[in-house]
Amino acid sequence: MSRTGSLSLLELIAQPRTLEQAWHSVRSSSSASSSGLDNITLSAFARAWPQQKKQLREQLLAKSFTFTPYRGQPIRKRSNADPRILKDWRPISIATVRDRVVQRAILNRIWKDIRDKVHTEVSFGGVRRYKLTPRSHKCPVEDDSQRCVRSAAQRIIGLRKRGHCYLFETDIENFFPSINRQRLFEDLFPMLRDNSINHLIEAALDTSIANARELGQLAGLWDPTTGVPQGGTLSPVIANFYLFEHDKELVDSGFHPVRYVDDLIVLTRSKQEACSAYRICKSALDRIGLKIHPIGKESNGRIKTNIRGPGEPFDFLGLTFTAHTIRPMRSKFDSLRERLQQITDADGGKEVLVDVIKKINWCVRGWVKAYCFCNLGPGELRDIDNQVGFFVRRWLVRRNIIARANKLDNQAYRWLGIERAQDIFIHPILKRRPSR
């Protein structure tokens, strides 16, 4: 038996190498300012990482490690969300950096046991950082190109080119809070090599929050008795595991679903097939305690479940698909503008120009690269650059650095170090009108 084969899952999680890998993943995927209940940011935790790693290892081996309760953060589903209407809000649970490291270590070590029920041809969300590897691999190999919005869009294009031009679209109602934890554990724990970390998984998926009193009525978004924490490191992969039987039933029935966590479309060759996919999906979800919205019913300002015919545009994963183009939804352009405004308004006069430009460049670069596979025209990229110029000029005028808000020319962009959206490489995956 190999050395690792003689160790329990708990002992494997506590290994320095496992903790180091987990910390690397958390550090590369978390926001620098993100903090849990202890208010320790990623940068502060990084400075103390050697001591933190030693302490985590000792506590895990001594079975004295405990997770800190989540900090609840209600997020608006729409700009005019009403605090009195819980359906207008999304309950995000924020863990401490320390707890994220342990959750990632757990995920890395149980991946080999559960991956066949997580990483399927159907699912494109929550597992995008993993690719299928030989079974000899103890941990998943990170690869952003394998499971993401782009690869979901590519699958949709491929199916449409093969004649699947009708579609059934839906999303699972109140997904993360509705997952039956007991049922989940009954399916998950028998697949693990031993039960030494069962208590850690149960604690990590506890949906209790510590700041319920200060949230007031919005604390009702969290039910401590059910669901899994949305925003938790383990939650997306566990959610995909929970939906495996649902996905399998659709595939076994001859359908071609594309699912991104709780958002789902099924492409078919006829309207009758699309209606059949709806019935099978609804029945499969009912059996695991989940629901989808009825066809044609509006929720939060839009229809969540619908059946569309050939050529009808539809929105999926922040993208608008038409017969011949893929474009970011209008709301994504609006969100970028709002973020640029926040960057230039939030510093209160204390931040220096170089830091503001650095944040703007990071924001614009990330947005354009996220949608570089779409049909973005030069005019849209030019509009983004003009917005950047407007907010930078306004920042300079407010601080009396320039006398008036003159338009920034190319030379000014270079001098200020502003990266232009027009200069970022765009490679649309849908390049020309499909042949009929």
Side-chain angles (χ1 to χ4, degrees), residues 163-168 255 266-277 307-310:
H164 297 81
C165 297
Y166 289 83
L167 70 88
F168 151 60
F255 293 110
V266 182
L267 291 104
T268 66
R269 294 182 183 273
S270 68
K271 184 175 181 179
Q272 291 75 16
E273 287 184 2
C275 293
S276 178
I307 292 176
R308 299 187 185 274

Side-chain angles (χ1 to χ4, degrees), residues 8 23 61 67 141-142 154 193 199 204 211 220 224-225 244 288 298 304 306 335 354 401 411 418:
S8 69
W23 164 236
L61 291 176
F67 287 104
V141 176
E142 295 188 358
Q154 287 175 319
R193 60 188 287 177
H199 67 289
N211 59 330
T225 64
F244 173 77
I288 57 175
E298 188 173 297
K304 297 292 185 74
N306 211 346
S335 296
V354 65
I401 296 174
Q411 184 177 354
I418 299 173

Side-chain angles (χ1 to χ4, degrees), residues 307-319:
I307 292 176
R308 299 187 185 274
E312 283 190 63
F314 65 94
D315 295 333
F316 185 59
L317 307 181
L319 305 173

Side-chain angles (χ1 to χ4, degrees), residues 15 30 59 67 76 93 102 130 148 178 185 203 215 226 229 247 279 281 292 322 348 363 365 367 385 396 399 406 426:
Q15 286 186 319
S30 299
Q59 290 179 349
F67 287 104
R76 289 180 173 87
S93 301
V102 175
Y130 304 115
C148 56
S178 299
F185 296 147
L215 293 179
T226 189
D247 296 345
R279 290 190 293 270
C281 175
I292 56 175
T322 68
C363 176
R365 188 189 316 122
W367 191 96
D385 290 335
L396 294 170
R399 286 150 187 80
N406 292 327
I426 302 296

